Amino acid sequence: MNKNVLLIEDDLQMQNFIAEYLKDYNFDCKAFSNPKEVIKEFKKNYQNYNIIILDLMLPNMDGFDLFKKLKQIKDIPVIISSARGDIGNKIHGFELGADDYLAKPYEPRELVLRINSILRKANPFRLKIGDFEIDKQNHEIKLEGYPIEFTKIEFEIFMFLIENLNKVSSREQILHATSLDENTKNRTIDMHISNIRYKIGDDSKEPKYIKSVWGIGYKFVG
């Protein structure tokens, strides 16, 4: 999941605080205070951003007017972050198409959680789980930025284990969750698990990702 944030905040102390906080959570954050500079930047580099954090009280232009201009350039998720927390402003924001509205003051961790929630909904096929980036639609997996070449069956098994993170999955459950033949033997599943481990650099004796659960099956830990 790409996490590129366009932050618009004219309180420079607040702007710096939010930007640094987001960077601690692996967001790439670019911050502006001047609406005209924001419009210029967004027209030029709109493809670089996944979400906008927008203050309403800005110099030379109301935040709602800026909201409409940015949406005309590209329709991407917007979280309004404003001291104007009355119900009238909130309603107007949501009527314009805001994805969320955070009234100041708020805990920055809440902003992180809301950004992540919105981005997951905006692109449900792309996941970031631990060291892995997953594109479910195109069957692509990257480990720390490097592509992993899985077979169809390996991808299905890997995804089943990921989707059942920290839960023990029996070989029978793995079998029924994939396109493997129903008569597949346990040792065939073990062979596929072994291949997956090899491709992601996981040591079966001291596994970082896929742990064997004696007499049952496997568990992906994260």
Side-chain angles (χ1 to χ4, degrees), residues 35-49:
K36 290 183 179 180
E37 292 179 0
V38 171
I39 293 169
K40 183 179 178 181
E41 162 67 15
F42 198 57
K43 280 182 177 178
K44 184 180 179 182
N45 297 309
Y46 63 84
Q47 70 277 4
N48 295 340
Y49 297 103

Side-chain angles (χ1 to χ4, degrees), residues 22 48 77 81 83 130 164 175:
L22 292 178
N48 295 340
S81 163
N164 290 276
L175 172 62

Side-chain angles (χ1 to χ4, degrees), residues 76-122:
I76 70 171
V78 176
I79 295 177
I80 293 176
S81 163
S82 178
R84 284 155 55 176
D86 60 278
I87 190 63
N89 277 292
K90 287 185 177 181
I91 290 172
H92 188 46
F94 285 119
E95 286 176 340
L96 289 178
D99 294 83
D100 211 333
Y101 197 118
L102 274 172
K104 297 176 183 175
Y106 54 80
E107 288 293 328
R109 182 74 177 114
E110 183 178 3
L111 177 62
V112 170
L113 293 172
R114 297 204 187 191
I115 293 173
N116 283 331
S117 176
I118 289 169
L119 291 181
R120 280 195 298 269
K121 292 174 184 176

Side-chain angles (χ1 to χ4, degrees), residues 127 129-130 132 134 136 141 150 152-178 180 188-198 200 202 207-213 216-222:
L127 305 172
I129 299 177
F132 295 92
I134 303 165
K136 294 171 67 176
I141 294 176
F150 281 149
K152 180 177 182 292
I153 295 298
E154 289 166 0
F155 181 84
E156 290 175 354
I157 293 173
F158 182 85
M159 287 308 305
F160 179 74
L161 293 175
I162 278 280
E163 288 166 355
N164 290 276
L165 193 67
N166 297 318
K167 295 180 182 178
V168 179
S169 298
S170 69
R171 291 176 178 82
E172 290 74 19
Q173 288 173 317
I174 294 170
L175 172 62
H176 293 305
T178 67
L180 285 165
T188 303
I189 295 174
D190 293 341
M191 179 194 69
H192 286 303
I193 294 287
S194 178
N195 290 339
I196 292 169
R197 280 175 164 159
Y198 175 76
I200 63 176
D202 206 18
K208 180 180 179 182
Y209 303 114
I210 301 174
K211 291 191 175 183
S212 301
V213 181
I216 303 177
Y218 299 95
K219 175 172 67 172
F220 199 103
V221 293

Side-chain angles (χ1 to χ4, degrees), residues 39-89:
I39 293 169
K40 183 179 178 181
E41 162 67 15
F42 198 57
K43 280 182 177 178
K44 184 180 179 182
N45 297 309
Y46 63 84
Q47 70 277 4
N48 295 340
Y49 297 103
N50 304 108
I51 192 166
I52 296 170
I53 310 301
L54 173 64
D55 184 19
L56 295 179
M57 299 172 69
L58 299 169
N60 305 316
M61 185 183 297
D62 184 76
F64 285 131
D65 292 331
L66 179 58
F67 181 105
K68 289 183 278 189
K69 290 180 183 294
L70 295 175
K71 280 285 190 176
Q72 287 171 356
I73 297 169
K74 184 187 179 184
D75 186 12
I76 70 171
V78 176
I79 295 177
I80 293 176
S81 163
S82 178
R84 284 155 55 176
D86 60 278
I87 190 63
N89 277 292

